[in-house]
Amino acid sequence: MREAKPFKIQRQQVMDAYLRVKANRGGAGVDAVNMQEFDKNTKQELYRIWNRMSSGSYMPPPVKLVEIEKKGGGVRPLGIPTIADRIAQTVVADLLGQQLDKVFHEDSYGYRPNKSAAQALAKARERCWKYNWALDLDIRSFFDNLPHDLLMKAIRKHIDCKWALLYIERWLVAPVQKTDGTIVPRTQGVPQGSVIGPVLSNLYLHYTMDVWLQRNFPLCPFERFADDSIVHCQTEMHAMKVKEALELRFAECGLEMHKEKTKIVYCKDSNRRGNYHTIGFDFLGYTFKPRQAENTVRMVSFTCWLPAVSNKSMSSMRKKMKEWSTLRTAGCQIEDIAKEINPVVRGWINYYSKFYKTKLKSFMREINLRIVKWARSKYLKVRPTVLKGLRWLRAISDKQPNLFTHWTFGVLPTVEDRSRMR
């Protein structure tokens, strides 16, 4: 007779988790096994995960430390689990999501079904029009400093599944393996890059901030996406009180407000005449600040508080442009360039064109100039001047207007673009 497993986990749960991990295309962890290698023996690998999780013997391996550059400088440490561990985490994350999503605040937008960064940005814009002041909130190294004991207390408030609790505790203390092979134990924090991390961090900030703000400052609405938050206030004095109170609240919960990055912002526009030294903030890749707008009915311009793609985001996109290999290869064809860059540019447009498209369109003219630079290295007839290159590219856009994604967005090459040449 087959021995019964102490934990009842359906094999289909593991299969569903595998399909989700496979669709997300993650890289290899510390075992150097990528998805192609994993798929050589999928049935046996999935059985091993299910068997160990069901018996209570599953022990997560270390996570691989990978450091990526932030848009504003510095690096962000990511912990990359193995593919097998991501599948196991997904099994538990699905269970947590079903139980916890209905608990979360409506203005928590990060890593939740039917919630998005675009919704958070739209709500922030709407509230900045209603409230004169905003608190741009930053938590210092939130994911690295999150206390395990308080987090588990919050989890046990909603989850009583023994095997889920067991594995969450194990994942929280799974060590980190540095690039030199050094193994570092972890006693606090949730590794960014893990599958389980987003829902756990959301739950912790739900009680640390969301519920607390709603109870103590009910007249100050907020938007939160993971650890990025904007709180709205009617007066500067009120904003100062919220900031001071939140600083104490975070300290009680084992966190620290970043004093240099947290700032009180005046949402200045044509109707708000006063002056204040801080009249802008960045949120989810957009910069909110006073911008010129037009009343199409009265045909007059005015100052409105609006979001647009941030300078940090544009700097990050420029860095990506420099990495495009086809633009450094004279032997390729223009169709090869389109094939490489279109998926990336499409993603930029889908995200950064939600608000104030004018700035994004202006920025994307740089793509035309980079294509012209490539053409001048390839073709003698356009080599003498940028103007000749732009005319050549314009002729191609007339014949193939859908060749590049940014052309279909309305950023066709023009001779005026030469003034942008860096």
Side-chain angles (χ1 to χ4, degrees), residues 339-401:
K339 185 177 180 180
E340 179 184 15
I341 76 172
N342 278 348
V344 178
V345 175
R346 188 177 299 114
W348 291 345
I349 292 173
N350 287 342
Y351 187 77
Y352 292 112
S353 68
K354 300 294 184 183
F355 310 95
Y356 211 79
K357 296 180 182 179
T358 303
K359 186 170 183 181
L360 180 63
K361 286 185 175 181
S362 177
F363 164 76
M364 285 200 163
R365 296 201 172 277
E366 295 182 19
I367 300 177
N368 290 331
L369 292 173
R370 290 178 185 270
I371 298 172
V372 167
K373 184 178 179 180
W374 165 83
R376 292 178 69 196
S377 69
K378 181 178 177 67
Y379 301 112
L380 289 175
K381 64 180 180 179
V382 300
R383 186 168 296 173
T385 65
V386 175
L387 182 59
K388 283 183 177 292
L390 284 168
R391 286 173 174 167
W392 169 84
L393 192 60
R394 179 67 197 207
I396 292 178
S397 70
D398 289 340
K399 294 177 181 179
Q400 299 176 269

Side-chain angles (χ1 to χ4, degrees), residues 29-31 59-65 80-82 85 174-177 183-184:
V30 295
D31 60 359
M59 299 297 296
V63 295
K64 182 173 71 173
L65 178 64
I80 308 300
T82 64
D85 197 41
V176 174
Q177 180 175 303
I183 302 294
V184 180

Side-chain angles (χ1 to χ4, degrees), residues 103-306:
V103 174
F104 292 150
H105 194 281
E106 63 179 354
D107 282 316
S108 170
Y109 295 90
Y111 311 111
R112 297 179 59 193
N114 303 316
K115 294 281 188 177
S116 67
Q119 292 174 335
L121 289 160
K123 184 59 71 172
R125 180 185 62 168
E126 174 190 328
R127 285 172 173 160
C128 284
W129 292 342
K130 296 180 180 179
Y131 294 81
N132 295 344
W133 299 85
L135 176 62
D136 179 14
L137 187 61
D138 189 277
I139 304 174
R140 187 187 297 273
S141 301
F142 166 69
F143 290 96
D144 296 332
N145 295 322
L146 193 152
H148 290 172
D149 57 341
L150 294 179
L151 173 60
M152 289 306 303
K153 181 179 179 181
I155 294 171
R156 291 190 181 97
K157 180 180 175 67
H158 300 282
I159 303 296
D160 59 5
C161 177
K162 291 183 179 180
W163 58 267
L165 293 171
L166 172 67
Y167 294 129
I168 290 170
E169 290 182 313
R170 290 180 182 177
W171 279 314
L172 287 177
V173 297
V176 174
Q177 180 175 303
K178 294 185 176 181
T179 53
D180 62 1
T182 304
I183 302 294
V184 180
R186 188 170 66 239
T187 58
Q188 62 182 17
V190 175
Q192 296 185 67
S194 66
V195 178
I196 203 76
V199 67
L200 297 182
S201 58
N202 260 345
L203 179 63
Y204 194 77
L205 281 179
H206 172 75
Y207 286 109
T208 299
M209 178 182 153
D210 302 355
V211 173
W212 184 88
L213 269 178
Q214 192 173 36
R215 181 172 62 246
N216 292 278
F217 295 94
L219 299 181
C220 295
F222 65 91
E223 302 82 38
R224 182 175 66 77
F225 192 100
D227 62 327
D228 292 332
S229 307
I230 303 296
V231 185
H232 304 272
C233 304
Q234 284 292 8
T235 67
E236 181 183 8
M237 184 65 70
H238 205 181
M240 292 174 65
K241 288 182 178 180
V242 173
K243 180 182 177 182
E244 292 172 359
L246 271 173
E247 187 173 8
L248 293 174
R249 172 62 176 174
F250 288 155
E252 292 174 353
C253 298
L255 301 175
E256 180 184 0
M257 180 183 291
H258 199 304
K259 295 182 180 180
E260 291 75 27
K261 293 184 178 180
T262 298
K263 55 188 178 181
I264 295 173
V265 182
Y266 183 48
C267 303
K268 185 177 175 64
D269 59 22
S270 291
N271 297 320
R272 294 164 178 164
R273 304 288 183 177
N275 293 315
Y276 192 72
H277 57 82
T278 304
I279 53 171
F281 62 80
D282 283 5
F283 184 50
L284 301 179
Y286 281 75
T287 295
F288 286 68
K289 71 175 189 177
R291 302 181 191 276
Q292 286 301 113
E294 289 189 1
N295 186 317
T296 56
V297 177
R298 299 182 180 181
M299 299 303 292
V300 295
S301 62
F302 61 100
T303 301
C304 187
W305 182 268
L306 294 170

Side-chain angles (χ1 to χ4, degrees), residues 52-64:
R52 291 177 178 176
M53 291 188 73
S54 298
S55 65
S57 63
Y58 181 81
M59 299 297 296
V63 295
K64 182 173 71 173

